Structure formats: structure tokens, C-alpha cells
């Protein structure tokens, strides 16, 4: 009888952890949640970097945080370290989640030199100082595990090594609460120009409650948002906990992710969203969503069924969809229920972990 191959030992490598010691961002959450889901199926270690070294366990997941020798150009997304390589010495698969970083460069080189499998998922971000311009790092990657096909533009020469993972949501934690009354409009995300929050404020009618929930990372932009909000029913919450954010999703009549390709400052962002974590969390909590048609958002939102897709930087189109949902609670409720079902069927972390393991074995 054929023996079942042993479960691979996996190291998930990401430059910054999610939370107070790192960044409250979708990429950081993706790395943590993927590692947690993998740990339910196979021995997994999350390797990251923070202000103090430590080793701890999150259920079956081992978390190893290293203090870097330096942050290159002061960027939290690009720590320099060699001590973390010790955490890759006893695994079978090295899975890096941030392309264009020194951490990924060194991880791929180490995996190549020691006969381990090297996998890369790019959750966005990256840095200017890397080894990619001098060394054929991409050639040494066994497979590119993309969140969505739209995120593979820099790996087109290696398309024969692509696998698509999508993303997942913790559907137990993010779920509707039928006892909570829904009202108003919600935005959740980092308060950065490419998120298009200025477009949302312009689109919301006076008198409609709008909650803007997210950390401040751009003082000039935050000041602009406050000026635009004058005279409207806008509440800014910049220090919400995960539990408070979940409660906001449950209480929103509609949740919006208005990301833009061209910011109010004229900066171009080719891929402002891949799948839009906050939109998916809102959907899991039973809220209909209105999102910009950017990146891979069309994979998440079934237009007219679970919410609406609108052109980016178009406050008139966004206003029309918001008015439609706010004026028809029955329609909003039907879309919210369909949104929850779509997340349960297509976007769970267990499904992402299963697709990872399939790719590891190829």
C-alpha cells in the first residue's frame, strides 16, 4: 500500500507583523491568517520582524519575531537581518509574502542553496532596495502563489509557475448579528490617498451617517478628509480594535471600498486593491458593499447580487448606488445575505491553506 507523504514543515515569511508592533494592514493580516490556517493542517512557523525579538504560539502556529539589524531607508516594509535564516533551516517549504524586499531575496537564496522549496505570494508593498535588479531571484522561485491573477504583472515571464490562492475570511469571527439594527455608510481601511476616502465623503449625502474607521498614516490627507467632512454627518474612528471594527460591519447598512488608481494628489496606483480585505470582512458580516472596479475586486463582488461595482474616482456613480441601497432596506438585506453566502462558498482561510498545500506538492 502506498504511504501517505509526510506533511511539509512550512515557514511563512513576512517583513512586518499585524497589530500594534507592526501595521494594521491587509497584507499583514493576510500573512498572519494564512499562517494560522496552514498550522491547522501542517507544522507552520510565522517569521516576521518587530521592535523586540520573541517567540510565542498562537494555537498550533509558532510565531518567531526578529529584531532587524536595520530598517533599510527607515522602511518597516524592508528590514535587513540574517538571524531569521535560522528559522528556515528545519522546514521543507519557505513561503514568502512580500516581493521586492531583502527578506524575500535572502529567503529565496537560502532555500535555493539548501534544497528547500521557495514559494512567493506578493501581497503588495515592497521597497526600492532589493537584490532583484542584480540577481535572478524569480528564476529560483518554485511557484508564484498569487492572491489573484491581476497581481501577477511582474511575474508574467514565469506564468507557467503560477497558482491562484485568493484570500480568506474568518467566518466564525466575522458573522452577522441579527439583533443589531443597520444604518448608515461605513468605510474601514488605512487612511491613505489611494483608498479614495475623499471620493466617498463627496458622494455621501448630507444627513447620512458615515463612519470612517482606520489608522492615520498620512497627516496631510487626514486633514483634507476632515475639511471635506465639515457640514456632514461624518465620524472618524482612528483607534478601533478588531472587535469594534467587526461591530461596525454588523451595524452598517452598506460598506464602501472606494479605492482609486489616481489619488487626489495626482499619484498613480496601478493596483490599489487585489481583493479588498475590508470589503470581504463586511460581506462576511452580512453587509452589502459598494466597491471600485479596480484590481481583482470583480472576483469578490458579484455586481448587482452581493453589492455594486462602480468606476473609481466617480462620486456620482457611488452616490447613486448608495442612495439605492439606503432607500431600499429589503434590497440591502437580500444583497447582504448573498454577500455572506459568497464568502462562505469561495473565500475561507481553510480553502486558501488547502490550495497552498496543493501548490507546495507540485
Amino acid at each position: 500500500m502506498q504511504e501517505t507523504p509526510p506533511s511539509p514543515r512550512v515557514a511563512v515569511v513576512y517583513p512586518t507583523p499585524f497589530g500594534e508592533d507592526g501595521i494594521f494592514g491587509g497584507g499583514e493580516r493576510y500573512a498572519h491568517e494564512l499562517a494560522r490556517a496552514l498550522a491547522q493542517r501542517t507544522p507552520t512557523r510565522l517569521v516576521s520582524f518587530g521592535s523586540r525579538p520573541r517567540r510565542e504560539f498562537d494555537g498550533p502556529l509558532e510565531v518567531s519575531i526578529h529584531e532587524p539589524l536595520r530598517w533599510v531607508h527607515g522602511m518597516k516594509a524592508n528590514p535587513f537581518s540574517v538571524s531569521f535564516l535560522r528559522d528556515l533551516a528545519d522546514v521543507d517549504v519557505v513561503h514568502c509574502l512580500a516581493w521586492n524586499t531583502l527578506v524575500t531575496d535572502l529567503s529565496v537564496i537560502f532555500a535555493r542553496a539548501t534544497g528547500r522549496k521557495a514559494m512567493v505570494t506578493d501581497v503588495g508593498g515592497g521597497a526600492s532596495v532589493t537584490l532583484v535588479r542584480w540577481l535572478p531571484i524569480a528564476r529560483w522561485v518554485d511557484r508564484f502563489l498569487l492572491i489573484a491573477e491581476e497581481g501577477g504583472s511582474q511575474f508574467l515571464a514565469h506564468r507557467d509557475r503560477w497558482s491562484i490562492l485568493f484570500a480568506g475570511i474568518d467566518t466564525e469571527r466575522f458573522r452577522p448579528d441579527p439583533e443589531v439594527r443597520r444604518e448608515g455608510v461605513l468605510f474601514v481601511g488605512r487612511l491613505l490617498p489611494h483608498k479614495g476616502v475623499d471620493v466617498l465623503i463627496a458622494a455621501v449625502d448630507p444627513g447620512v451617517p458615515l463612519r470612517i474607521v482606520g489608522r492615520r498614516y498620512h497627516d496631510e490627507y487626514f486633514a483634507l478628509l476632515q475639511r471635506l467632512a465639515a457640514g456632514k454627518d461624518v465620524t472618524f474612528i482612528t483607534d478601533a480594535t478588531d472587535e469594534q471594527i467587526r461591530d461596525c460591519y454588523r451595524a452598517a447598512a452598506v460598506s464602501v471600498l472606494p479605492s482609486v488608481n489616481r489619488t487626489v494628489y495626482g499619484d498613480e496606483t496601478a493596483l490599489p486593491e487585489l481583493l479588498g480585505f475590508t470589503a470581504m470582512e463586511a460581506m462576511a458580516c452580512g453587509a452589502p458593499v459598494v466597491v471600485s472596479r479596480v484590481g481583482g475586486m470583480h472576483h469578490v463582488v458579484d455586481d448587482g447580487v452581493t453589492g455594486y461595482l462602480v468606476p473609481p474616482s466617480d462620486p456620482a456613480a457611488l452616490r447613486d448606488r448608495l442612495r439605492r441601497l439606503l432607500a431600499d432596506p429589503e434590497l440591502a438585506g437580500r444583497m447582504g445575505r448573498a454577500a455572506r453566502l459568497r464568502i462562505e462558498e469561495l473565500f475561507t482561510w481553510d480553502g486558501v491553506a488547502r490550495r497552498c498545500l496543493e501548490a507546495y506538492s507540485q
Side-chain angles (χ1 to χ4, degrees), residues 130 299 345:
T130 70
H299 296 299
E345 291 178 344

PDB file of all heavy atoms in Angstrom, residues 130 299 345:
ATOM      1  N   THR A 130      16.519  46.232  -3.156  1.00  0.00           N
ATOM      2  CA  THR A 130      16.429  44.766  -3.151  1.00  0.00           C
ATOM      3  C   THR A 130      17.547  44.205  -4.020  1.00  0.00           C
ATOM      4  O   THR A 130      18.288  44.954  -4.669  1.00  0.00           O
ATOM      5  CB  THR A 130      15.073  44.269  -3.681  1.00  0.00           C
ATOM      6  OG1 THR A 130      15.007  44.537  -5.088  1.00  0.00           O
ATOM      7  CG2 THR A 130      13.914  44.963  -2.989  1.00  0.00           C
ATOM      8  N   HIS A 299     -13.683  39.669  -8.653  1.00  0.00           N
ATOM      9  CA  HIS A 299     -13.737  38.290  -8.166  1.00  0.00           C
ATOM     10  C   HIS A 299     -14.567  38.195  -6.885  1.00  0.00           C
ATOM     11  O   HIS A 299     -15.180  37.163  -6.610  1.00  0.00           O
ATOM     12  CB  HIS A 299     -12.325  37.766  -7.859  1.00  0.00           C
ATOM     13  CG  HIS A 299     -11.424  37.675  -9.046  1.00  0.00           C
ATOM     14  ND1 HIS A 299     -11.700  36.884 -10.138  1.00  0.00           N
ATOM     15  CD2 HIS A 299     -10.240  38.284  -9.313  1.00  0.00           C
ATOM     16  CE1 HIS A 299     -10.731  36.999 -11.024  1.00  0.00           C
ATOM     17  NE2 HIS A 299      -9.830  37.848 -10.537  1.00  0.00           N
ATOM     18  N   GLU A 345     -18.737  30.371   0.491  1.00  0.00           N
ATOM     19  CA  GLU A 345     -18.502  29.425  -0.597  1.00  0.00           C
ATOM     20  C   GLU A 345     -17.111  29.558  -1.215  1.00  0.00           C
ATOM     21  O   GLU A 345     -16.513  28.554  -1.608  1.00  0.00           O
ATOM     22  CB  GLU A 345     -19.562  29.625  -1.690  1.00  0.00           C
ATOM     23  CG  GLU A 345     -20.965  29.189  -1.265  1.00  0.00           C
ATOM     24  CD  GLU A 345     -21.995  29.445  -2.352  1.00  0.00           C
ATOM     25  OE1 GLU A 345     -21.696  30.230  -3.289  1.00  0.00           O
ATOM     26  OE2 GLU A 345     -23.100  28.879  -2.261  1.00  0.00           O
TER      27      GLU A 345
END
